[in-house]
Amino acid sequence: MATVELRFSALPEHVRTARLVAAAVARRAGVDESVLDELRLAVGEACSRAVALHQRNGVDGAVRVALTEQEKRFLIEVADEAGPAQAAGGAAGGPEDEDALGLAVITGLVEDVEVGNGADGGVIRMSWAVAPASDDD
């Protein structure tokens, strides 16, 4: 089980890099080309959400993206250090609505997704099927 870990400052300009790295590692791991666009979008949404949580909560920590190649699945975990998830209930059109919209986009793009809490903040875990390795490789 090989893992690539990317850590970046919670700045919007780093989200594009995370998307590109995730797509490259997924391609190498055997994720089908037909889902790479959805994978890129999902990673972008998850990273953008983490960056927004950091900025909104005034947290200087890093966003962590772990890309793990397993035998039959490719896992991506995006973790923030913005503290425990906040309870929803702000004004309409506020940050909680943006979070809900981002999560809705992610769940629409990824069949296997889990949103939870990690040691220092929120974690979004996503996975995709990996094509079996052919004997010609």
Side-chain angles (χ1 to χ4, degrees), residues 8-130:
F8 62 90
S9 301
L11 298 169
E13 53 266 27
H14 297 307
V15 172
R16 181 174 186 269
T17 303
R19 285 194 320 251
L20 292 172
V21 170
V25 175
R27 181 178 285 120
R28 186 184 146 280
V31 173
D32 192 272
E33 288 286 328
S34 66
V35 297
L36 288 180
D37 284 339
E38 286 89 354
L39 181 143
R40 251 190 302 282
L41 286 170
V43 169
E45 282 294 328
C47 289
S48 293
R49 181 177 181 273
V51 167
L53 287 169
H54 278 243
Q55 291 179 343
R56 191 166 54 234
N57 294 323
V59 176
D60 290 331
V63 174
R64 182 182 63 82
V65 181
L67 311 161
T68 305
E69 180 182 350
Q70 295 182 331
E71 188 175 330
K72 296 182 181 184
R73 303 293 294 171
F74 179 69
L75 309 172
I76 298 179
E77 184 175 281
V78 178
D80 63 66
E81 296 179 359
Q86 304 290 324
E96 291 82 9
D97 287 346
E98 292 172 18
D99 288 347
L101 179 60
L103 290 174
V105 168
I106 293 167
T107 56
L109 293 168
V110 183
E111 275 186 38
D112 186 17
V113 63
E114 177 186 329
V115 180
N117 288 314
D120 298 320
V123 178
I124 297 177
R125 291 179 187 89
M126 305 170 278
S127 75
W128 291 264
V130 173

